[in-house]
C-alpha cells in the first residue's frame, strides 16, 4: 500500500505552499485530480495584497491598516487574530515569492508595483500584469520539483479514512488506471479549492466542484460559514469569465444604459472600488430596475484608460474580451454581470489550519480559517493560500513528528477502499438509471435562482426541499460504461455527492441566518444584527443529518461598526 508521512490533496497554490513548507526529511506527496498547473489558482488575475508601501499613494501603509480593511470588509465576521496574522505575514510572504522567482510587475526604480483594489484604503495589491496566479503557480511548481516533492496527478480523492477520530489516509480513484485504492498517511492536508460549479454562473474552472469540502464533512469535520458565497461584480457576459477587479483598480467605470456611473448611488465615496458584495448587488439592482442592457448586463468602460495602459496593465483582459466576446476594450465597453466567484466558508480549522480530526488539516479556499468573514477583499485569497498553506505544512510536519501509528490501519484503509468500489459496482450493474449531468443542471438552477445574491425565507426553504429530492434521485444514478479509465462520468458521480452536501449546508446556513451581513443578503432581514448574529455558523453531519451550531467570533481590537464606503 502506498504510504506517505504527509499527503497534500490539491496542487493549487495552497497545496504547493503546504508541500514546500513540510520538513524535507519527511515523505511528502501531492495528489491532484488534474495536473497542478491546471488548478484554478492559475486563473487568478488581479493580484495579491501586502502592505509594502511601494505605491506613492500608500507610502505609510501598515499591516495593521491591511488587517483593519480586511476585518471591515468581512463585515466584522472574520476572526481578528487570524486576519492580523495573515496581514503581518503578507509582507515576508511576498518577498519569499520574489526570492523564489515570481516576476512581479515593477514601478520605475524597480520596486514591486502595487495597484488599488476594492475595499482597501490604500493601493496595496502586488501583481504580475493580469496573470498573477499563473506566475505564482508556475514558480511554486518549479520550486516543488526542485525539492523533489512527489506528485500523483489525475488521482481523485473520494474519501477520508478515519478511525477513533484520527485520520489514517484517503481512498483515491486513479483516473489513468481506472482503479480505486487506499493511500496511507500520517497527516493529510486538504487544499482542494472552491465549489463554484455548484452555481450556474461562475467564474470558476470546470473542475471546481468542491468535493474536498464534502469529503471532510462526511468524515465528520464541521463546515464553517458556508452561507457566505462571494459573487464577483464583473464577469464577462455571457461566458462569465472573470474580468479582474484590477480593471476597476486601474480606473475602469461601471456604467448603466443611461450612461451614468451608477455606483454614485450605492457607495458615493469608494465608487467602483467598494467591496465586492456591495458592487455586485448594485449591478444586479441596476439590471433588475431595467437600467442594464438586454436585462442581463451593465457596461465596464475602460476606454478612457487609453490603449497604452490597457495593453501594459490588462493584456489578459483584452485578450479574453476579444476572444470570448469579439470586443476590444480599447474602443468598446464590456458587457458584465455578477457571477459566483469565491467561497468564504469551508472546512472548519483553527489558526494553525488544524481541524478537530487528529492529523487532518486544511488550507486555501476549501478551508475556513476565518480571515474573510462574510466578504473577502480582492487580492486576499492568493495571500491566504500562500500564508496558510505554509502554516498547514509546518503544523502537519510538527504533528507527524510527535505521532505514532495505530493498530490495524492498513485493514481499515483496505476496507474503506472496498466499500467505495462496491458502491461503484452497484451503479455499474444498473441497466437504466438517472444521469448525473441532468441532476447537476437541476442543482445549479436551484442554487442560482434561490440561493443567489438576494435571498429570502421562502426561496431558501423551497431550495432545501428540492435539494432533498435531488438527493433521492442521486441514489438511482447509473454509470454507462464498463471501463472506468478516465471516466469523467464517474468523477462527476463521485463529486456530485459532495455538491449536494455543500448545497444543503449553504442553504441551511442561509435560511437560519436571519440578518444581512457581507455577501449574505436577506430581502426579508435587510439589516446586520450583531446582537444575535455576530457568530460563526457550524454545520456538522450527525447520524446522517446536518446539525447546526454557532461559535463566537474572535475580536481583538476592532469593535464592529457600520460599514460605509
Ligand atoms: C478567475 C479567478 C480569478 C481570481 N483572481 C484572484 C486574484 O487576482 N487575487 C486573489 O487573491 N484571488 C483570486 N481568485 C481566487 C483565488 O485564485 C483562489 O481562491 C485560490 O487560487 C484557490 O487556491 P487553492 O490552492 O485553495 O485551490 P485551487 O487552485 O482551486 O486548487 C485546488 C486543487 O485541488 C485539487 N482537487 C480538488 N478536489 C480534489 C479531489 N477530490 N481529489 C484530488 N484533487 C482534488 C485540484 O486538482 C487542484 O489542484 C480568483 C479566482 C478565480 C476563479
Amino acid at each position: 500500500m502506498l504510504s506517505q508521512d504527509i499527503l497534500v490533496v490539491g496542487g493549487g497554490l495552497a497545496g504547493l505552499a503546504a508541500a514546500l513548507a513540510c520538513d524535507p526529511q519527511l515523505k511528502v506527496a501531492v495528489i491532484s485530480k488534474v495536473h497542478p498547473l491546471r488548478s484554478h489558482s492559475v486563473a487568478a488575475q488581479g493580484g495579491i495584497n501586502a502592505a509594502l508601501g511601494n505605491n506613492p499613494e500608500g507610502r505609510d501603509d501598515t499591516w495593521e491598516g491591511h488587517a483593519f480593511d480586511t476585518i471591515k470588509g468581512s463585515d466584522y465576521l472574520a476572526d481578528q487574530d487570524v486576519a492580523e496574522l495573515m496581514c503581518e505575514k503578507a509582507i515576508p510572504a511576498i518577498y519569499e515569492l520574489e526570492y523564489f522567482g515570481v516576476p512581479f510587475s515593477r514601478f520605475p526604480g524597480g520596486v514591486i508595483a502595487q495597484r488599488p483594489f476594492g475595499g482597501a484604503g490604500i493601493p496595496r495589491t502586488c501583481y504580475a500584469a493580469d496573470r498573477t496566479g499563473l506566475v505564482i503557480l508556475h514558480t511554486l511548481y518549479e520550486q516543488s520539483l526542485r525539492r523533489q516533492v512527489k506528485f500523483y496527478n489525475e488521482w481523485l480523492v473520494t474519501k477520508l479514512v478515519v478511525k477513533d477520530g484520527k485520520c489514517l489516509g484517503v481512498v483515491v480513484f486513479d483516473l489513468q488506471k481506472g482503479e480505486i485504492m487506499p493511500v496511507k498517511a500520517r497527516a493529510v492536508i486538504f487544499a482542494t479549492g472552491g465549489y463554484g460549479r455548484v452555481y450556474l454562473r461562475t467564474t470558476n474552472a470546470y473542475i471546481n466542484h468542491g468535493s474536498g469540502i464534502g469529503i471532510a464533512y462526511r468524515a465528520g469535520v464541521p463546515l464553517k460559514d458556508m452561507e457566505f458565497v462571494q459573487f464577483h461584480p464583473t464577469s464577462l457576459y455571457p461566458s462569465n469569465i472573470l474580468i479582474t477587479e484590477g480593471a476597476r483598480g486601474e480606473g475602469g467605470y461601471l456604467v448603466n444604459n443611461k450612461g451614468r456611473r451608477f455606483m454614485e448611488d450605492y457607495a458615493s465615496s469608494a465608487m467602483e472600488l467598494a467591496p465586492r458584495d456591495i458592487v455586485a448587488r448594485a449591478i444586479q439592482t441596476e439590471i433588475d430596475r431595467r437600467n442594464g442592457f438586454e436585462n442581463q448586463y451593465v457596461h465596464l468602460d475602460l476606454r478612457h484608460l487609453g490603449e497604452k495602459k490597457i495593453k501594459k496593465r490588462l493584456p489578459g483582459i483584452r485578450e479574453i474580451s476579444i476572444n470570448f466576446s469579439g470586443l476590444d476594450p480599447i474602443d468598446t465597453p464590456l458587457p458584465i454581470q455578477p457571477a459566483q466567484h469565491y467561497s468564504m466558508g469551508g472546512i472548519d480549522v483553527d489558526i494553525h489550519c488544524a481541524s478537530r480530526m487528529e492529523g487532518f488539516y486544511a488550507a486555501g479556499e476549501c478551508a475556513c480559517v476565518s480571515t474573510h468573514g462574510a466578504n473577502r477583499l480582492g487580492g486576499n485569497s492568493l495571500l491566504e493560500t500562500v500564508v496558510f498553506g505554509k502554516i498547514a505544512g509546518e503544523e502537519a510536519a510538527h504533528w507527524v513528528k510527535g505521532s505514532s501509528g495505530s493498530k490495524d490501519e492498513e485493514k481499515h484503509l483496505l476496507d474503506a477502499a472496498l466499500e467505495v468500489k462496491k458502491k461503484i459496482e452497484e451503479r455499474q450493474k444498473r441497466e437504466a438509471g438517472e444521469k448525473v449531468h441532468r441532476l447537476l443542471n437541476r442543482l445549479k438552477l436551484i442554487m442560482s435562482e434561490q440561493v443567489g445574491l438576494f435571498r429570502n425565507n421562502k426561496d431558501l426553504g423551497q431550495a432545501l426541499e428540492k435539494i432533498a429530492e435531488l438527493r433521492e434521485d442521486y441514489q438511482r444514478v447509473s454509470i454507462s460504461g464498463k471501463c472506468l479509465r478516465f471516466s469523467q462520468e464517474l468523477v462527476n458521480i463521485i463529486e456530485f455527492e459532495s455538491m449536494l452536501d455543500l448545497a444543503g449546508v449553504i442553504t441551511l446556513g442561509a435560511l437560519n441566518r436571519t440578518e444581512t451581513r457581507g455577501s449574505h443578503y436577506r430581502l426579508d432581514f435587510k439589516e446586520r444584527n450583531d446582537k444575535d448574529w455576530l457568530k460563526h455558523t457550524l454545520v456538522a453531519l450527525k447520524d446522517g443529518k446536518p446539525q447546526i451550531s454557532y461559535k463566537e467570533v474572535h475580536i481583538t481590537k476592532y469593535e464592529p461598526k457600520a460599514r460605509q464606503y
Side-chain angles (χ1 to χ4, degrees):
M1 182 181 301
L2 184 63
S3 172
Q4 299 289 328
D5 290 324
I6 299 179
L7 201 60
V8 180
V9 183
L13 281 177
L16 298 187
L20 281 171
C22 294
D23 187 329
Q25 315 242 298
L26 296 171
K27 253 173 92 182
V28 180
V30 174
I31 290 182
S32 174
K33 69 178 200 173
V34 296
H35 189 280
L37 295 179
R38 294 195 162 266
S39 305
H40 188 60
S41 293
V42 83
Q45 301 170 350
I48 175 166
N49 297 338
L52 303 183
N54 288 348
N55 190 305
E57 283 164 41
R59 285 268 183 262
D60 47 3
D61 199 7
T62 58
W63 69 258
E64 288 92 342
H66 182 187
F68 172 70
D69 287 341
T70 301
I71 291 162
K72 181 179 172 193
S74 82
D75 223 349
Y76 292 91
L77 194 72
D79 281 338
Q80 299 186 359
D81 51 343
V82 175
E84 286 170 335
L85 178 72
M86 179 178 81
C87 297
E88 191 178 3
K89 296 220 171 214
I91 300 166
I94 295 294
Y95 292 129
E96 183 171 46
L97 290 175
E98 184 187 40
Y99 170 74
F100 280 158
V102 172
F104 284 112
S105 293
R106 307 273 160 177
F107 280 142
V111 294
I112 294 173
Q114 295 189 280
R115 59 166 51 129
F117 247 50
I122 278 173
R124 65 166 73 92
T125 305
C126 312
Y127 57 93
D130 51 4
R131 301 188 178 105
T132 313
L134 182 136
V135 299
I136 303 179
L137 190 66
H138 278 253
T139 305
L140 292 195
Y141 186 61
E142 279 169 13
Q143 292 295 328
S144 310
L145 295 180
R146 190 172 73 93
R147 300 257 193 107
Q148 295 178 333
V149 172
K150 178 83 192 141
F151 283 92
Y152 295 100
N153 300 336
E154 298 181 318
W155 283 19
L156 177 79
V157 168
T158 69
K159 197 181 168 82
L160 266 173
V161 185
V162 190
K163 193 178 165 222
D164 303 329
K166 189 173 163 196
C167 179
L168 305 182
V170 298
V171 175
V172 301
F173 168 46
D174 175 345
L175 272 92
Q176 296 183 29
K177 295 202 180 116
E179 280 171 14
I180 301 287
M181 61 195 187
V183 182
K184 187 169 146 182
R186 288 162 71 199
V188 173
I189 301 172
F190 266 23
T192 51
Y195 55 67
R197 290 281 153 183
V198 170
Y199 282 84
L200 195 63
R201 285 184 195 149
T202 174
T203 63
N204 281 197
Y206 279 100
I207 56 166
N208 283 23
H209 287 164
S211 61
I213 308 176
I215 291 167
Y217 174 66
R218 288 193 299 284
V221 182
L223 304 185
K224 185 160 73 199
D225 292 339
M226 288 291 285
E227 62 269 34
F228 298 102
V229 180
Q230 181 160 81
F231 293 85
H232 197 288
T234 58
S235 78
L236 194 63
Y237 172 81
S239 61
N240 296 120
I241 296 174
L242 183 78
I243 301 295
T244 173
E245 189 164 311
R248 282 171 286 135
E250 294 295 347
Y253 296 153
L254 290 169
V255 181
N256 64 16
N257 66 11
K258 314 220 163 27
R260 258 195 82 222
R261 282 177 73 190
F262 56 84
M263 280 311 298
E264 207 178 321
D265 304 337
Y266 302 87
S268 57
S269 160
M271 293 292 285
E272 280 85 357
L273 288 178
R276 290 177 175 174
D277 55 333
I278 294 171
V279 184
R281 280 196 294 271
I283 293 174
Q284 194 57 49
T285 305
E286 288 296 302
I287 296 169
D288 293 346
R289 286 183 184 156
R290 303 198 177 276
N291 292 337
F293 302 87
E294 301 177 41
N295 286 332
Q296 295 285 351
Y297 56 85
V298 296
H299 278 154
L300 173 66
D301 199 343
L302 305 179
R303 288 174 298 179
H304 56 285
L305 302 184
E307 182 171 346
K308 199 166 146 221
K309 193 166 184 182
I310 291 176
K311 282 188 172 164
K312 179 141 190 255
R313 300 278 180 82
L314 302 165
I317 289 308
R318 177 163 181 252
E319 203 175 297
I320 287 170
S321 309
I322 292 173
N323 289 346
F324 290 89
S325 293
L327 302 173
D328 187 340
I330 290 174
D331 45 47
T332 320
L334 301 177
I336 56 95
Q337 64 178 191
Q340 191 285 348
H341 180 62
Y342 184 80
S343 161
M344 267 76 71
I347 301 167
D348 176 35
V349 291
D350 64 15
I351 197 164
H352 309 291
C353 298
S355 75
R356 286 185 196 177
M357 185 193 294
E358 272 181 56
F360 179 62
Y361 298 78
E365 192 171 338
C366 72
C368 182
V369 202
S370 189
T371 180
H372 310 303
N375 174 64
R376 167 175 78 84
L377 294 189
N380 266 356
S381 169
L382 290 184
L383 177 61
E384 181 192 14
T385 63
V386 291
V387 168
F388 288 101
K390 185 172 185 179
I391 290 177
E394 289 167 352
E395 293 286 333
H398 185 67
W399 148 263
V400 161
K401 285 182 188 157
S403 78
S404 56
S406 48
K407 255 183 24 190
D408 299 334
E409 278 181 6
E410 298 216 344
K411 181 179 175 309
H412 218 73
L413 280 151
L414 285 167
D415 286 350
L418 212 63
E419 204 182 300
V420 173
K421 230 184 230 174
K422 266 194 196 146
K423 270 197 193 163
I424 295 170
E425 281 164 8
E426 276 167 29
R427 292 198 191 274
Q428 279 182 307
K429 277 185 207 143
R430 271 176 216 154
E431 296 273 297
E434 249 318 329
K435 286 294 154 211
V436 71
H437 65 90
R438 278 194 226 132
L439 302 188
L440 187 56
N441 289 341
R442 273 166 61 197
L443 181 68
K444 288 175 180 207
L445 263 184
I446 299 167
M447 294 306 284
S448 296
E449 288 176 359
Q450 297 187 296
V451 199
L453 256 176
F454 297 103
R455 300 164 171 186
N456 64 61
N457 187 66
K458 184 165 157 246
D459 279 340
L460 294 168
Q462 280 180 357
L464 269 186
E465 285 168 21
K466 291 182 194 167
I467 294 166
E469 283 166 23
L470 274 177
R471 205 179 278 283
E472 281 175 23
D473 293 344
Y474 176 67
Q475 303 307 325
R476 293 199 302 278
V477 164
S478 63
I479 300 173
S480 319
K482 287 274 171 273
C483 174
L484 296 182
R485 290 181 63 196
F486 289 109
S487 169
Q488 196 54 45
E489 188 184 22
L490 179 57
V491 171
N492 288 342
I493 291 172
I494 291 170
E495 296 205 290
F496 190 68
E497 186 176 10
S498 288
M499 296 175 94
L500 277 174
D501 284 336
L502 302 188
V505 173
I506 294 167
T507 311
L508 182 65
L511 180 67
N512 272 33
R513 189 175 279 274
T514 48
E515 67 156 352
T516 284
R517 185 184 296 272
S519 66
H520 172 64
Y521 192 89
R522 286 281 302 249
L523 287 163
D524 42 358
F525 296 93
K526 287 190 179 165
E527 300 296 324
R528 191 176 90 192
N529 171 356
D530 285 342
K531 190 171 139 277
D532 299 318
W533 287 108
L534 184 59
K535 52 191 180 185
H536 298 294
T537 303
L538 288 181
V539 182
L541 195 65
K542 281 245 167 73
D543 305 321
K545 292 227 163 63
Q547 234 187 27
I548 201 159
S549 61
Y550 294 92
K551 77 172 173 188
E552 65 175 26
V553 174
H554 304 170
I555 307 274
T556 57
K557 55 177 180 243
Y558 306 97
E559 275 309 311
K561 288 194 196 127
R563 241 179 13 142
Q564 268 163 355
Y565 289 96

